[in-house]
Amino acid sequence: MRARLSDIARQAEVSEATVSRVLNDRPGVAQETRQAVLTALDVLGYERPARLRKRSAGLVGLVVPELDNPIFPAFAQVIESALAQSRFTPVLCTQTAGGVTEDEYVEMLLDRQVSGIVFVSGRHADTAANHDRYRALTSRPLPTVMINGYVPDVPAPFVSCDDGEAAELAVAHLVALGHRRIGLITGPDRFVPVRRKVAGWRGAMTRLAGLPESELDELAELSLFGVEGGEAAAGRLLDRGVTAVVCGSDLMALGAVRAARQRGLSVPADLSVVGYDDSPLMAFTDPPLTTMRQPVTAMSVAAVRALVDEINGHGAPHTEYLFRPELVVRGSTAVAPTGPSGAARRRSAPAALAVTA
């Protein structure tokens, strides 16, 4: 035992007596020193005494719509880490097409007597969905926090990125580069974040780009989320002469880049593209994607704090917390072309040249 004490003391750079006090959970040891000894135990592969092991405060459900879009694993990772620091064990529930539904996951979580649930971009973001499911949870009462989506009459904390401001910042960036015909590509309009993006884009287009409301409808394309939806929508907007597009997700933006290249156009020389999320690896695409960054860490930590407060009976305010997005400028946006639009030049080019490009 003395050999083990000496090893631990050497690793933690403290005396053996201090190690002994920590292992026996005795007072008189500074918190930093106590943590250094416990870390030394972990590094050397020794098992912590039972009295020093942190007990789980309970299970917390984490429901995300999918893992294909890299922004959702990013949220899940930060939320799981924040929950673990509060001694809660996260239970990740991921929905897939034709798989377990959100309601079925909730039933499973209730059967396991979870302490609370965090929903990320769930049915609460869908205005066409029945939100009684959430009112039933909060009336149990079960602590619940929802990220990216807002239902005013559900008594729970909501955490969202300011989608309207994100669209305005993206338009302002493109207008500063000389663009005026700026298209919008985003998902179905029944979702709260989509409606907010559309409203922000329309306001910025009339105020900053100087376009009348009557011209905006043809510049907005609501499509399926994902690369394929972005590609199809971008193709339609290119036919209408846009020189830039603001997209509702990074994956949709990558689809817009692909649509431009299939037409022999260059991004950003012929078409500037702005994404949304700043999900992992967007700095390494070709070209690196200009995007609106969601503050994932700040939003996730705030959601977990609100949930833990609810669980501990402190009653987090039942309102929506809006977090400011950040414009991240990279290589997919540039000064607007001064000559004919890329689409016009493509139509006038020989067919063989367009295929070769």
Side-chain angles (χ1 to χ4, degrees):
M1 182 63 182
R2 287 196 57 82
R4 291 178 61 185
L5 284 176
S6 63
D7 291 341
I8 298 168
R10 188 180 305 108
Q11 179 70 29
E13 298 182 348
V14 299
S15 68
E16 292 183 24
T18 298
V19 173
S20 178
R21 283 196 294 272
V22 172
L23 296 182
N24 289 288
D25 200 22
R26 292 175 181 166
V29 181
Q31 183 59 37
E32 290 184 3
T33 303
R34 186 179 299 274
Q35 187 58 50
V37 172
L38 295 177
T39 301
L41 278 174
D42 298 337
V43 170
L44 295 173
Y46 294 144
E47 187 175 341
R48 294 188 183 190
R51 68 175 68 88
L52 300 180
R53 296 174 198 159
K54 289 184 176 180
R55 297 178 182 175
S56 172
L59 302 177
V60 167
L62 172 55
V63 183
V64 297
E66 56 165 304
L67 294 180
D68 291 338
N69 187 331
I71 195 61
F72 296 126
F75 269 111
Q77 182 177 16
V78 179
I79 292 171
E80 287 181 339
S81 176
L83 285 170
Q85 289 177 19
S86 296
R87 297 187 292 118
F88 286 94
T89 302
V91 180
L92 179 62
C93 302
T94 306
Q95 301 171 61
T96 56
V100 180
T101 66
E102 180 180 296
D103 289 339
E104 290 170 335
Y105 271 131
V106 168
E107 288 301 318
M108 294 179 190
L109 293 171
L110 293 177
D111 288 342
R112 286 161 176 76
Q113 297 182 331
V114 294
S115 300
I117 303 178
V118 178
F119 293 93
V120 180
S121 298
R123 300 291 297 278
H124 64 280
D126 188 345
T127 60
N130 185 341
H131 295 139
D132 287 344
R133 53 173 58 87
Y134 302 113
R135 283 184 279 271
L137 286 177
T138 57
S139 65
R140 289 180 68 96
L142 181 73
T144 304
V145 175
M146 284 162 260
I147 296 177
N148 280 340
Y150 182 47
V151 186
D153 58 351
V154 171
F158 291 82
V159 174
S160 301
C161 187
D162 193 334
D163 297 286
E165 183 177 9
E168 291 182 17
L169 290 172
V171 170
H173 168 64
L174 293 169
V175 168
L177 293 173
H179 297 274
R180 290 297 179 271
R181 288 189 66 77
I182 301 168
L184 175 69
I185 298 173
T186 189
D189 67 354
R190 71 177 190 271
F191 295 106
V192 172
V194 170
R195 291 185 174 184
R196 291 175 171 179
K197 288 185 179 76
V198 171
W201 170 79
R202 295 184 76 94
M205 288 295 289
T206 55
R207 189 176 69 258
L208 302 177
L211 267 65
E213 281 280 348
S214 59
E215 293 185 21
L216 296 183
D217 287 344
E218 71 169 3
L219 297 181
E221 280 289 334
L222 305 185
S223 184
L224 297 176
F225 284 114
V227 174
E228 293 76 14
E231 180 180 357
R236 293 189 289 270
L237 289 176
L238 284 169
D239 288 338
R240 298 168 197 160
V242 300
T243 61
V245 289
V246 174
C247 300
S249 74
D250 289 337
L251 294 185
M252 299 187 95
L254 296 181
V257 172
R258 186 161 73 180
R261 286 183 170 165
Q262 287 179 346
R263 292 167 174 245
L265 304 178
S266 170
V267 175
D270 298 318
L271 180 71
S272 286
V273 178
V274 180
Y276 180 87
D277 284 333
D278 195 28
S279 46
L281 302 182
M282 291 305 107
F284 306 100
T285 57
D286 180 24
L289 188 66
T290 295
T291 187
M292 299 305 307
R293 174 182 293 162
Q294 283 201 72
V296 171
T297 298
M299 292 171 64
S300 300
V301 169
V304 171
R305 285 177 178 170
L307 186 75
V308 171
D309 283 346
E310 290 274 301
I311 293 172
N312 292 334
H314 299 315
H318 295 163
T319 186
E320 184 181 29
Y321 301 89
L322 284 177
F323 285 73
R324 182 181 175 86
E326 177 186 355
L327 174 65
V328 181
V329 179
R330 298 194 180 106
S332 65
T333 52
V335 174
T338 55
S341 70
R345 284 188 276 112
R346 182 195 63 79
R347 286 193 293 268
S348 63
L353 179 59
V355 172
T356 302

